[in-house]
Amino acid sequence: QVQLVESGGGLVQAGGSLRLSCAASGRTASTYRMGWFRQAPGKEREFVTAVAWSGGWTFYADSVKGRFTTSRDNARNMVYLQMNSLKPEDTAVYYCAAQLLGRGAYEYWGQGTQVTVSS
């Protein structure tokens, strides 16, 4: 089991920045990768970015490339999402997720944190 708690959401003007944090606990040593997803009202949840828990690679959705950066701090069991040049279309609930080694999907999810970007 992995427990995830997001924080850092809020209201920001277009062009501004926010930094989301995800605190992980439990079987973090068995984690393969951590992902960020988001869901806007009336839309399906979509992938934003992923980072290998052991380091070495990151992956981004085209919609956020060049604006968002994900990182992790294994010593603190934390994952971060730095969001710059925010746009109104980035407004959504952002979720942190964990996929364990040997598993085929993200199985553990946080409760989400709201990000609202005003125009």
Side-chain angles (χ1 to χ4, degrees):
Q1 294 279 348
V2 176
Q3 294 78 42
L4 303 171
V5 179
E6 303 96 334
S7 61
L11 173 64
V12 64
Q13 288 188 332
S17 298
L18 278 176
R19 187 196 196 205
L20 305 184
S21 299
C22 174
S25 60
R27 292 180 57 191
T28 56
S30 299
T31 301
Y32 164 54
R33 62 181 175 180
M34 299 289 292
W36 287 96
F37 294 77
R38 65 187 182 186
Q39 187 166 21
K43 295 187 177 181
E44 293 190 353
R45 185 171 59 197
E46 65 173 357
F47 169 80
V48 177
T49 180
V51 58
W53 186 247
S54 62
W57 59 261
T58 55
F59 189 77
Y60 297 90
D62 288 343
S63 58
V64 305
K65 277 182 184 176
R67 300 189 298 123
F68 290 12
T69 303
T70 187
S71 61
R72 88 275 182 269
D73 183 338
N74 291 35
R76 292 182 170 84
N77 286 335
M78 296 291 296
V79 179
Y80 304 100
L81 181 63
Q82 177 66 43
M83 305 185 295
N84 299 328
S85 303
L86 282 161
K87 305 175 182 179
E89 51 263 43
D90 293 319
T91 295
V93 177
Y94 283 71
Y95 298 91
C96 174
Q99 178 179 347
L100 300 186
L101 292 165
R103 309 295 289 182
Y106 292 96
E107 293 181 280
Y108 302 99
W109 296 82
Q111 83 289 350
T113 185
Q114 176 71 47
V115 171
T116 303
V117 184
S118 63
S119 58

